[in-house]
Amino acid sequence: MPATLAPGTSFQATDLQRHSRDVLDAARTPEGALVRDKDGTNYWVIPAGRVSQDAFIKDALLEVLRILSLVRLADADRDPALYGDLGWVAVLPVEAQSDFAWAYARAVQAVPSTGLAVVEDLVYDWQQTARAWADHRLVDELTSPIDEPLDDVAL
């Protein structure tokens, strides 16, 4: 029978055949199941979805670190190619890049409880913002002084 270790439950390789249901049940727990092979090698058994989710979170947080380190560079040193998969962030003003990075980090950290939809919505919204910043005529129009006073506006 399996021996309880911290964290999770430990099994022998023979338990994969003899007690496969116990191994799978332990693998479904947050700690997963540890299977020790005859040569002493340990294997961690967890659901594949959790592995891909953890990999996404790791990669996304590395992207956050990349953006935050690039924000500290001078404008001339901030090449869009350095932004990796989030190259569109380069068109945002520096302060907005930092704001995006922190919002993205918070959304990514919440993925285990909220799912990916929150991150996808956040990225979509910021991509739309980046598209606006990429249109220099639109930026000039939106940031130029208003010629007419708004005092006499009638509703």
Side-chain angles (χ1 to χ4, degrees):
M1 280 317 279
T4 302
L5 298 175
T9 305
S10 179
F11 297 89
Q12 296 298 319
T14 56
D15 290 331
L16 290 171
Q17 183 176 12
R18 293 182 191 154
H19 305 287
S20 61
R21 181 57 39 208
D22 292 336
V23 174
L24 292 176
D25 288 344
R28 288 185 185 94
T29 66
E31 299 84 21
L34 192 67
V35 178
R36 181 181 301 267
D37 201 356
K38 293 176 188 175
D39 65 359
T41 305
N42 290 319
Y43 297 94
W44 188 25
V45 183
I46 59 172
R50 198 169 110 204
V51 172
S52 60
Q53 181 180 6
D54 289 350
F56 168 78
I57 291 170
K58 176 193 66 85
D59 292 344
L61 292 177
L62 286 173
E63 293 290 336
V64 168
L65 290 174
R66 181 183 310 202
I67 292 169
L68 292 175
S69 65
L70 289 169
V71 164
R72 302 181 80 146
L73 297 176
D75 287 343
D77 296 333
R78 238 182 285 121
D79 187 305
L82 297 175
Y83 287 80
D85 292 338
L86 299 176
W88 54 267
V89 172
V91 301
L92 295 170
V94 174
E95 185 176 312
Q97 290 180 29
S98 181
D99 291 345
F100 166 74
W102 288 113
Y104 188 61
R106 285 189 296 276
V108 166
Q109 289 173 329
V111 163
S113 59
T114 64
L116 286 174
V118 173
V119 175
E120 291 168 347
D121 291 345
L122 177 86
V123 168
Y124 176 80
D125 292 345
W126 276 96
Q127 283 176 329
Q128 299 313 307
T129 303
R131 281 190 182 99
W133 278 103
D135 184 345
H136 297 292
R137 283 185 322 150
L138 180 61
V139 170
D140 291 342
E141 186 178 324
L142 292 175
T143 58
S144 66
I146 298 174
D147 296 333
E148 301 173 14
L150 298 177
D151 297 335
D152 299 331
V153 174
L155 299 176

